[in-house]
Amino acid sequence: MPELPEVEASRRAIEVHCLGKKIKRSIVADDSKVIDGVSPSDFEAAILGKTIVSAHRKGKNLWLQLDSPPFPSFQFGMAGAIYIKGVVVTKYKRSAINDTDEWPSKYSKLFVELDDGLELSFTDKRRFAKVRLLKDPTSVPPISELGPDALFEPMTIDQFFGSLSKKKIAIKALLLDQSVISGIGNWIADEVLYQARIHPLQSVASLSKESCATLLKCIKEVLEKALEVGADSTQFPNNWIFHSHEKKPGMAFVDGKVIDFITAGGRTTAYVPELQKLSGGQAAKLAGEQTKQMSKRKGGRKDDDVDEPASEEEETAEIVKPKRESKSKGRTKKPPSKRNSKESEDDTGSVHSDGDDDDPASEEAVVAKSSKSKNGRESKQGGKKKPAAKRKARESDESDDQDNGEDEKRKRGKVTNDKQPKAASKKIAASQNGKRSTRGK
């Protein structure tokens, strides 16, 4: 995002080209996410005919002082930028607009035409910026909550060292805290820590007074050098870590030394391990952790040696597995609908698998198992399995006949076997009918 150098370059361009000029026309975008707390029509009416007296900045915020309040205020966000037609303000790649693009840009949130024909526009491609209309920008957030400006209000060594002694956070996180020092963002924090040879995770309370003095000196030098080239990053010194900030790990170098990337202060952080080392108790703690990790690695190698035969067996199993699958493919596979109907006949429900339904190998194993168990039951039954409907009908008839026969037997007290054959029951019934006809005669 735009940091102090980019915002300061915009302020200086307005100061050079726009002061003492009257606002002749303005267009405010109908975008309530960016235009904060005021309607476009009210914003336009409030600044029309006003003269720009001065341009101010604190941290990453800028505001225009007009000949009477309220004043336009700009919080740049991720991609906010000031453009003056025909004037090179700054080159920030995330917000860059080409000279051949339409004017005012489709990303313009506030467009102003001055009485001499000069035109100014504040743009925001990503819509994280805020444009406000304030009576006193310094008395309300976010400007009222900012710490000393890193460029205009530099701390003394004693002030800086004293403010750090009671804090227990990492130095990178502190530099990003706008309530402590305003204007420093991610790339500046990485650059000044690299130039000062301080590890981004070094505790601020552990920094010596000499280290604090070096850090303040590097902040001043980096800001001044960036502004010297108009915040044009293509002209930053070649030995700055900035140029490798967006390269991939293993491919980022500065002065021939490897750049590593970690997370510090909640942001991706570039640093050079060879030059930026933790000191004091943190260094001892890190050495202990590294020793512990090394011992774990050694133990892991021993375990790996012991497990080698098992891993070889697993490899063999992986080689054999396709062969088993190829054999199973040789068997004639029943259509899914028929297989499902026969599976439903299984009273035990053994065809359900606990594995992944989408695994072909698992599915074949389950079908094979089910087929095997069914074949076993069929062999016990003494031959070929009959269709389900016929088998169920026969079982029902036999059950009814047996029940009728048993009832007749109970009446005559001749029940000798619970499972009397069907033919016997019919014979008894015929005998009874014969006796009845004889009695009738």
Side-chain angles (χ1 to χ4, degrees), residues 2-4 7-8 11 55-63 73-76 137-140 142-153 178-184:
E3 299 183 25
L4 189 153
V7 182
E8 175 61 15
R11 188 199 69 80
H56 302 274
R57 181 195 58 77
K58 186 165 187 177
K60 293 179 272 186
N61 293 263
L62 181 148
W63 67 98
S73 173
F74 307 91
Q75 188 175 357
F76 281 55
T138 60
S139 65
V140 294
I143 297 172
S144 63
E145 298 174 345
L146 298 177
D149 186 81
L151 181 66
F152 292 152
E153 305 166 303
Q178 300 300 298
S179 67
V180 178
I181 304 175
S182 61
I184 296 177

Side-chain angles (χ1 to χ4, degrees), residues 358-396:
D358 295 329
D359 185 357
S362 301
E363 188 177 344
E364 288 180 11
V366 171
V367 174
K369 185 177 179 182
S370 176
S371 177
K372 187 177 180 181
S373 63
K374 289 178 184 178
N375 291 337
R377 287 198 298 274
E378 288 171 3
S379 63
K380 289 180 181 178
Q381 291 170 3
K384 190 175 181 181
K385 192 172 181 181
K386 295 184 178 181
K390 291 184 178 180
R391 191 176 76 248
K392 288 183 178 179
R394 179 180 175 182
E395 290 173 355
S396 177

